[in-house]
């Protein structure tokens, strides 16, 4: 099915973006089209006309088709999927519920590119458990690295934890990393977790609406030759099309934002819990009317929601979590309708975003004389890292571990990075009316680029002279001296 409005500049008419603003950072907060906004405003008006009727009866009824639509998109039963505010909340909710089940020696594994707020949540969880109940094992990595090498590091970490006499209990994984914006080999990592008896918790903040996710079909065979399927020499062997990409049937827990890539208002996310583990999820954050007490304790107070008795305890748990404007949840069907009728369907959106961001990243890297993170192998194939709607381009600014003011400094000192990043990002918004995240990784500054249906090649062509000028301004603003030859 072809889009009724061509992708690119013509598609901007459906969004509320300032005509003078180029939104090259859709990945951080998303934005939604006009028809979806109209749907939300309709629900908001209904809520104000009769608050009790809306919150007690209308909203729970309207929430069900939204959950059904997401369940169909993810190929999972609707009873296994519930709403949460955002992916960070989803991760925290799962870990809060699992905390009573951890015992001394249990280890949580995660990667060094974990989202910062999620890592803070891991620290908080560990600190609030008694004694040395939970250990955290961070798996460090930096580019260049292949997805297959990353998977091997995970296998080795699991085995090392066991060799130390501890139990690898749960792993926090990602679908697409936030910074740097790369596609994680989550399909195989979930498969490894199943093989090793480790719970898998997937932070798919960048997931629904950007890439295909199939919760009903498990990846079975990773033994095919990865060098022949478009993945380069990463050895994953997922293959093109339906052969393996996005298949994570058997995942234990997954949470994904809808407001980033699916075109719903902020904030909307889903939480999937494997039915075999739903009995472990007894409270929301904050604890609300659906709380499920232990069997030995007094039954919970009746729910405010009249429909609660017609749902499983897991579903009813998340139906009403404190009073808030939950109308964004109800906009999921409208967002999917827009994607189908205006954009030509999910597959068309996924394909356009991936192709555009890869073309745009190559173009920007060529214009700066640098490179794209996780670039292809010697044969020139794009790597699996780049199979998503975000790519990263290196700026010609080296980051070095030296004291500012030393002679012969070869680049930007690490202590100056936060100030430089903040200055650059502010200038992008205020002076150039755009935004791309700037971050340090593996000894360089990088920018993360996001594709979207309202962007096209010309937007990335426009960005090249902007970044060149901005780098030159950094040199002057921060008086970097001899670093100038590296900028």
């Amino acid at each position: 099915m072809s889009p009724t409005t061509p992708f690119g500049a013509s598609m901007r008419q459906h969004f509320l973006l300032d005509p003078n603003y180029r939104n090259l950072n859709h990945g951080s907060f998303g934005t939604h089209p006009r028809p979806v906004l109209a749907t939300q405003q309709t629900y908001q008006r209904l809520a104000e006309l009769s608050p009790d009727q809306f919150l007690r009866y209308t909203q729970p009824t309207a929430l069900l088709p939204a959950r059904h639509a997401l369940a169909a998109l993810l190929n999972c039963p609707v009873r296994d999927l519930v709403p949460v505010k955002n992916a960070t909340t989803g991760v925290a909710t799962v870990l809060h519920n699992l905390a009573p089940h951890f015992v001394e020696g249990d280890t949580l594994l995660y990667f060094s590119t974990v989202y910062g707020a999620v890592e803070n949540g891991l620290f908080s969880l560990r600190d609030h458990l008694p004694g040395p109940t939970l250990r955290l094992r961070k798996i460090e990595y930096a580019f260049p690295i292949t997805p297959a090498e990353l998977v091997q590091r995970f296998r080795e970490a699991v085995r090392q934890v066991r060799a130390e006499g501890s139990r690898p209990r749960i792993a926090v994984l990602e679908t697409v990393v936030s910074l740097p914006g790369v596609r994680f080999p989550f399909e195989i990592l979930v498969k490894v977790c199943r093989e090793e008896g480790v719970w898998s918790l997937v932070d798919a903040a960048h997931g629904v609406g950007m890439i295909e996710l199939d919760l009903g079909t498990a990846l079975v065979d990773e033994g095919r030759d990865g060098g022949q399927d478009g993945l380069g020499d990463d050895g994953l062997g997922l293959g093109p099309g339906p052969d393996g990409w996005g298949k994570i049937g058997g995942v234990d827990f997954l949470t994904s934002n809808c407001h980033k890539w699916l075109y719903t208002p902020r904030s909307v996310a889903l939480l999937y819990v494997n039915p075999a583990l739903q009995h472990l999820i007894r409270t929301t954050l904050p604890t609300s009317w659906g709380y499920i007490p232990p069997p030995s304790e007094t039954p919970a107070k009746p729910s405010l929601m009249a429909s609660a008795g017609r749902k499983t305890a897991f579903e009813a748990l998340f139906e009403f979590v404190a009073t808030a404007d939950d109308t964004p949840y109800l906009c999921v069907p409208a967002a999917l309708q827009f994607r189908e009728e205006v954009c030509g369907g999910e597959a068309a959106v996924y394909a356009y975003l991936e192709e555009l961001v890869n073309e745009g990243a190559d173009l920007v890297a060529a214009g700066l004389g640098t490179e794209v993170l996780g670039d292809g192998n010697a044969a020139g194939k794009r790597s699996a890292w780049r199979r998503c709607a975000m790519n990263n381009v290196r700026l010609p600014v080296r980051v070095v571990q030296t004291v500012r003011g030393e002679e012969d400094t070869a680049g930007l000192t690490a202590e100056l990075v936060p100030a430089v990043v903040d200055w650059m990002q502010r200038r992008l918004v205020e002076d150039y009316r755009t935004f791309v995240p700037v971050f340090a990784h593996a000894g360089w500054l990088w920018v993360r680029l996001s594709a979207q249906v309202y962007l096209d090649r010309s937007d990335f062509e426009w960005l090249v002279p902007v970044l060149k000028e901005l780098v030159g301004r950094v040199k002057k603003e921060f008086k970097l001296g001899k670093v100038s030859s590296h900028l």
Side-chain angles (χ1 to χ4, degrees):
M1 182 176 178
S2 301
T4 57
T5 301
F7 291 142
S10 298
M11 191 65 76
R12 288 181 66 99
Q13 65 183 294
H14 297 297
F15 292 82
L16 284 80
L17 293 166
D18 183 339
N20 297 315
Y21 185 83
R22 295 183 191 246
N23 193 26
L24 297 174
N25 184 38
H26 186 100
S28 281
F29 305 112
T31 191
H32 51 279
R34 297 176 188 273
V36 176
L37 176 63
T39 298
Q40 183 186 25
Q41 290 174 337
T42 297
Y43 281 121
Q44 288 173 327
R45 283 193 294 270
L46 287 175
E48 301 316 311
L49 289 172
S50 180
D52 275 280
Q53 179 181 6
F54 182 84
L55 289 169
R56 294 176 186 271
Y57 307 110
T58 305
Q59 183 169 282
T61 300
L63 181 60
L64 190 56
R67 289 176 53 225
H68 273 286
L70 287 173
L73 180 65
L74 272 67
N75 189 27
C76 71
V78 67
R79 65 180 178 272
D80 301 333
L81 186 150
V82 292
V84 290
K85 282 297 183 185
N86 51 58
T88 303
T89 301
V91 172
T93 299
V94 170
L95 293 176
H96 181 79
N97 279 277
L98 296 182
H101 303 278
F102 293 132
V103 298
E104 184 173 349
D106 278 356
T107 301
L108 183 152
L109 299 99
Y110 69 103
F111 290 84
S112 57
T113 49
V114 68
Y115 187 59
V118 169
E119 185 173 34
N120 287 340
L122 302 184
F123 296 153
S124 177
L125 175 71
R126 178 196 60 193
D127 295 344
H128 282 83
L129 289 173
T133 301
L134 182 66
R135 301 178 180 179
L136 302 181
R137 178 66 59 91
K138 182 190 289 191
I139 302 171
E140 299 281 354
Y141 75 99
F143 287 85
I145 188 173
T146 68
E149 290 169 343
L150 186 72
V151 171
Q152 184 58 31
R153 289 195 187 188
F154 180 71
R155 290 185 185 274
E156 291 170 354
V158 169
R159 292 164 186 169
Q160 184 179 4
V161 167
R162 287 202 175 100
E164 295 168 356
S166 299
R167 177 171 65 164
R169 189 60 167 145
I170 185 170
V172 176
L173 312 172
E174 293 151 284
T175 47
V176 176
V177 177
S178 178
L179 290 176
V182 293
R183 180 171 178 144
F184 220 52
F186 62 93
E187 300 94 338
I188 291 186
L189 289 169
V190 168
K191 179 176 182 291
V192 173
C193 285
R194 293 199 306 268
E195 295 170 348
E196 297 286 349
V198 178
W199 284 334
S200 54
L201 169 52
V202 177
D203 175 6
H206 298 279
V208 172
M210 186 212 274
I211 58 176
E212 180 181 5
L213 292 175
D214 186 341
L215 302 184
T217 307
L219 177 65
V220 176
D221 177 20
E222 63 175 280
R224 294 184 299 275
D225 179 11
Q228 303 299 318
D229 56 21
L231 297 179
D233 292 331
D234 54 37
L236 291 178
L238 289 175
D243 287 350
W245 293 101
K247 297 185 185 302
I248 46 174
V251 65
D252 294 308
F253 311 96
L254 179 140
T255 182
S256 184
N257 289 323
C258 300
H259 56 263
K260 284 184 182 290
W261 297 94
L262 199 68
Y263 307 155
T264 69
R266 291 174 291 273
S267 58
V268 179
L270 61 90
L271 173 62
Y272 167 87
V273 177
N274 192 302
L277 299 174
Q278 286 176 14
H279 66 282
L280 301 177
I281 308 299
R282 297 176 33 240
T283 184
T284 55
L285 291 181
T287 298
S288 194
W289 288 97
Y291 172 68
I292 306 169
S296 60
E297 295 185 4
T298 304
K301 295 180 181 298
S303 172
L304 285 178
M305 299 297 104
S307 63
R310 300 192 296 272
K311 295 181 171 63
T312 68
F314 173 67
E315 292 175 287
L317 176 62
F318 290 87
E319 190 166 60
F320 185 87
V321 183
T323 303
D325 181 1
D326 289 338
T327 56
Y329 295 135
L330 312 183
C331 296
V332 168
L336 288 170
Q337 181 180 7
F338 176 86
R339 293 167 70 87
E340 181 67 26
E341 295 180 357
V342 179
C343 300
E346 295 300 307
V349 173
Y350 302 155
Y352 182 78
L353 299 189
E354 181 180 326
E355 181 57 33
L356 176 61
V357 81
N358 277 276
E359 179 184 10
D362 288 339
L363 187 157
V364 173
L368 296 178
T370 59
E371 62 182 321
V372 180
L373 190 72
D375 219 338
N377 62 4
K381 296 179 180 178
R382 291 171 181 161
S383 75
W385 298 114
R386 298 180 61 182
R387 293 288 303 271
C388 62
M390 297 192 298
N391 272 199
N392 314 271
V393 175
R394 179 169 63 83
L395 295 176
V397 182
R398 186 185 297 276
V399 178
V400 294
Q401 299 295 327
T402 56
V403 178
R404 187 180 183 187
E406 281 189 359
E407 292 298 320
D408 300 322
T409 297
L412 179 67
T413 58
E415 66 177 10
L416 203 54
V417 166
V420 169
V421 166
D422 178 68
W423 185 87
M424 294 179 74
Q425 292 183 158
R426 286 177 180 271
R427 297 281 66 74
L428 283 166
V429 171
E430 296 175 10
D431 299 347
Y432 301 102
R433 301 298 295 146
T434 190
F435 190 92
V436 289
V438 182
F439 62 98
H441 181 79
W444 295 89
L445 289 188
W446 301 76
V447 291
R448 188 191 75 186
L449 310 178
S450 294
Q452 199 39 258
V453 295
Y454 49 72
L455 299 173
D456 55 34
R457 177 186 174 93
S458 67
D459 294 297
F460 296 96
E461 291 174 335
W462 170 87
L463 184 62
V464 173
V466 167
L467 293 178
K468 284 183 174 180
E469 181 175 273
L470 188 62
V471 167
R473 291 178 64 185
V474 166
K475 176 183 64 176
K476 295 179 181 178
E477 177 72 18
F478 289 87
K479 299 179 175 61
L480 298 179
K482 294 190 176 182
V483 74
S484 61
S485 61
H486 300 271
L487 293 176

